[in-house]
């Protein structure tokens, strides 16, 4: 839904507001009528503000979704970001119980696909995030998908509603499920990782975990053969390059702060990346 759909209502409110401007009146009644007119005008302007800031994205969506990553889906042609959780990006690498690297971000997405198994989802959204994804909770046959992701160890509780899911995170860490089976960087820290980023895990963390997960070589190869799109942060813009694009081979994929692998154009565009100009 777009604000253009409210053009008529906005125009009406503005016209009413303009009519409330005080006119020349008798001195003995001037102050009182000016106050009343001012109050009415402010009321109308508050109505305009409420309309502009109302949750126009509030909706109930139903269908079998396309799952783009561990917390982003496309349903009824709407990109939805599961609220209250944070799953690893598809480029994220973790360590297993033996200290070996594995593509935990791709695994989180794939486990959500397996759990979905083509079934119908019901999603309830309230607002949008910075990438214009609708934020909300989704259910499969009555089961809370957001909670399932955390309870299965494929996401962490996050955001303003994290308290809703924190008990599920405790269950996952206690059971060494999903990400908690080894060592990992929290998804939020992964996006802005640096040499001081902390490695977490349910049990022990290998002594060389930081060297492995924070080194430049962690990006040198795509996390999965399907994830060959290169994303680069350039002058504040998120730009992605497809294999074969001009300049693709020149992107070294060694800068952990400005470069990442992406698995599909749909994932890239849903998370704020723009296709490079040819």
């Amino acid at each position: 839904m777009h604000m253009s759909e409210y053009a008529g209502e906005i125009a009406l409110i503005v016209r009413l507001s303009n009519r409330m401007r005080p006119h020349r009146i008798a001195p003995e009644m001037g102050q009182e009528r000016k106050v009343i007119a001012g109050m009415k005008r402010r009321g109308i302007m508050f109505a305009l503000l409420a309309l502009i800031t109302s949750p126009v994205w509030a909706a109930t969506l139903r269908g079998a979704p396309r799952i783009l990553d561990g917390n982003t889906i496309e349903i009824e042609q709407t990109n939805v970001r599961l609220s209250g959780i944070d799953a690893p990006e598809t480029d994220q690498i973790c360590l297993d119980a033996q200290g070996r690297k594995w593509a935990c971000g791709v695994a989180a997405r794939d486990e959500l696909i397996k759990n979905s198994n083509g079934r119908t989802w019901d999603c309830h959204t309230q607002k949008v995030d910075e990438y214009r994804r609708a934020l909300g909770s989704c259910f499969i046959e009555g089961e809370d998908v957001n909670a399932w992701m955390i309870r299965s160890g494929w996401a962490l509780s996050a955001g303003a509603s994290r308290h809703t899911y924190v008990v599920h995170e405790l269950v996952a860490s206690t059971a060494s499920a999903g990400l908690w089976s080894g060592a990992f960087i929290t998804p939020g820290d992964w996006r802005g990782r640096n040499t001081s980023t902390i490695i977490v895990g349910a049990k022990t963390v290998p002594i060389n975990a930081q060297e492995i997960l924070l080194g430049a070589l962690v990006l040198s190869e795509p996390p999965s053969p399907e994830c060959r799109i290169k994303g680069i942060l350039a002058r504040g813009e998120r730009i992605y390059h497809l294999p074969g694009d001009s300049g693709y081979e020149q992107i070294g994929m060694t800068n952990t702060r400005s470069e990442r692998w992406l698995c599909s154009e749909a994932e890239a565009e849903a998370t704020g990346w723009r296709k490079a100009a040819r």
Side-chain angles (χ1 to χ4, degrees):
M1 189 175 294
H2 300 284
M3 288 307 300
S4 59
E5 298 180 32
Y6 290 87
E9 289 87 340
I10 292 173
L12 175 61
I13 291 172
V14 171
R15 285 200 301 273
L16 288 172
S17 175
N18 289 336
R19 290 177 185 176
M20 290 299 169
R21 289 173 180 166
H23 301 285
R24 292 184 180 275
I25 50 181
E28 62 272 15
M29 299 180 64
Q31 190 59 38
E32 180 181 354
R33 289 186 62 182
K34 284 181 181 178
V35 169
I36 292 173
M39 290 175 64
K40 287 182 178 178
R41 192 174 185 216
R42 282 195 295 273
I44 290 173
M45 294 310 293
F46 277 129
L48 175 60
L49 179 62
L51 176 65
I52 292 172
T53 59
S54 65
V56 297
W57 282 90
T60 297
L61 305 170
R62 181 175 174 81
R66 179 183 182 183
I67 295 168
L68 305 179
D69 64 25
N71 47 216
T72 306
I73 66 166
E74 181 187 342
I75 182 170
E76 288 196 35
Q77 299 181 319
T78 301
N79 291 326
V80 175
R81 203 306 193 167
L82 302 180
S83 60
I85 78 170
D86 199 9
E89 305 285 358
T90 52
D91 72 330
Q92 182 161 346
I93 302 298
C94 299
L95 300 180
D96 64 16
Q98 287 71 46
R100 296 171 301 198
K101 293 190 296 183
W102 65 295
C104 56
V106 170
R109 180 204 62 189
D110 290 349
E111 289 300 320
L112 183 55
I113 292 172
K114 289 179 187 176
N115 184 56
S116 177
N117 195 29
R119 293 181 290 171
T120 296
W121 289 37
D122 293 288
C123 297
H124 309 286
T125 66
Q126 292 297 326
K127 54 185 178 179
V128 297
D129 69 4
E130 60 184 313
Y131 306 127
R132 297 188 62 78
R133 294 177 294 186
L135 297 172
S137 300
C138 295
F139 300 83
I140 302 175
E141 298 174 358
E143 180 182 36
D144 187 334
V145 177
N146 305 40
W148 181 88
M149 282 294 289
I150 296 176
R151 189 171 61 251
S152 301
W154 298 115
L156 304 184
S157 57
S161 56
R162 65 178 305 164
H163 61 279
T164 306
Y165 301 115
V166 70
V167 66
H168 299 289
E169 187 173 303
L170 179 60
V171 169
S173 62
T174 301
S176 298
L179 306 176
W180 297 100
S181 63
F184 64 98
I185 297 171
T186 64
D189 284 345
W190 174 265
R191 299 181 192 104
R193 60 196 183 278
N194 54 49
T195 54
S196 61
T197 296
I198 296 173
I199 314 295
V200 299
K203 295 180 180 177
T204 59
V205 175
I207 193 169
N208 63 339
Q210 280 192 317
E211 178 184 348
I212 297 173
L213 295 180
L214 297 175
L217 290 179
V218 75
L219 277 180
S220 60
E221 295 294 331
S224 170
E226 66 177 297
C227 305
R228 303 198 64 84
I229 299 174
K230 293 180 177 180
I232 180 168
L233 186 64
R235 296 183 296 278
E237 279 195 276
R238 293 179 161 209
I239 308 296
Y240 70 86
H241 297 257
L242 301 174
D245 282 354
S246 174
Y248 178 88
E249 297 298 337
Q250 283 67 52
I251 302 173
M253 302 304 288
T254 57
N255 189 330
T256 60
R257 297 187 64 83
S258 63
E259 298 170 345
R260 65 156 292 185
W261 295 100
L262 296 152
C263 300
S264 70
E265 288 192 80
E267 175 200 4
E269 291 172 6
T271 51
W273 297 84
R274 178 175 62 80
K275 190 174 184 178
R278 291 186 178 274

